[in-house]
């Protein structure tokens, strides 16, 4: 199984840590990527979008993570 390296920014790593996601982002499996995507998407939907549909600052960080994961 191929291992994938994703260069997350410091803010993205901080958010992942807040969500309990730690580890070596230089060697991710497909399952790792799917798990990160699920957790970040759920957090974005539950915590980062207001009733008017606006995304807050953490939501923008979530979107950045999701965009990076979409390439794989």
């Amino acid at each position: 199984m191929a291992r994938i390296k994703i260069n997350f920014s410091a803010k993205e790593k901080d958010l992942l840590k807040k969500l309990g996601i730690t580890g070596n982002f230089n060697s991710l499996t497909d399952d790792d990527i799917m798990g990160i995507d699920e957790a970040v998407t759920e957090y974005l939907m539950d915590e980062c979008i207001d009733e008017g549909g606006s995304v807050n600052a953490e939501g923008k960080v979530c979107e950045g993570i999701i965009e990076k994961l979409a390439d794989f």
Side-chain angles (χ1 to χ4, degrees):
M1 183 182 312
R3 298 273 180 170
I4 300 162
K5 177 181 180 179
I6 299 179
N7 293 317
F8 293 115
S9 71
K11 284 185 179 183
E12 291 168 341
K13 287 180 182 177
D14 287 344
L15 180 76
L16 292 170
K17 185 184 282 186
K18 179 178 180 174
L19 298 178
I21 300 168
T22 59
N24 183 359
F25 300 119
N26 295 323
S27 184
L28 297 170
T29 65
D30 290 340
D31 288 341
D32 294 333
I33 291 171
M34 287 176 51
I36 293 168
D37 184 61
E38 262 184 48
V40 172
T41 300
E42 184 175 320
Y43 184 74
L44 171 65
M45 300 301 291
D46 291 346
E47 303 294 332
C48 300
I49 301 175
D50 67 20
E51 291 181 18
S54 297
V55 177
N56 65 21
E58 269 194 335
K60 293 189 186 302
V61 175
C62 289
E63 290 174 338
I65 294 169
I66 293 166
E67 286 176 15
K68 287 180 180 177
L69 297 176
D71 292 337
F72 299 99

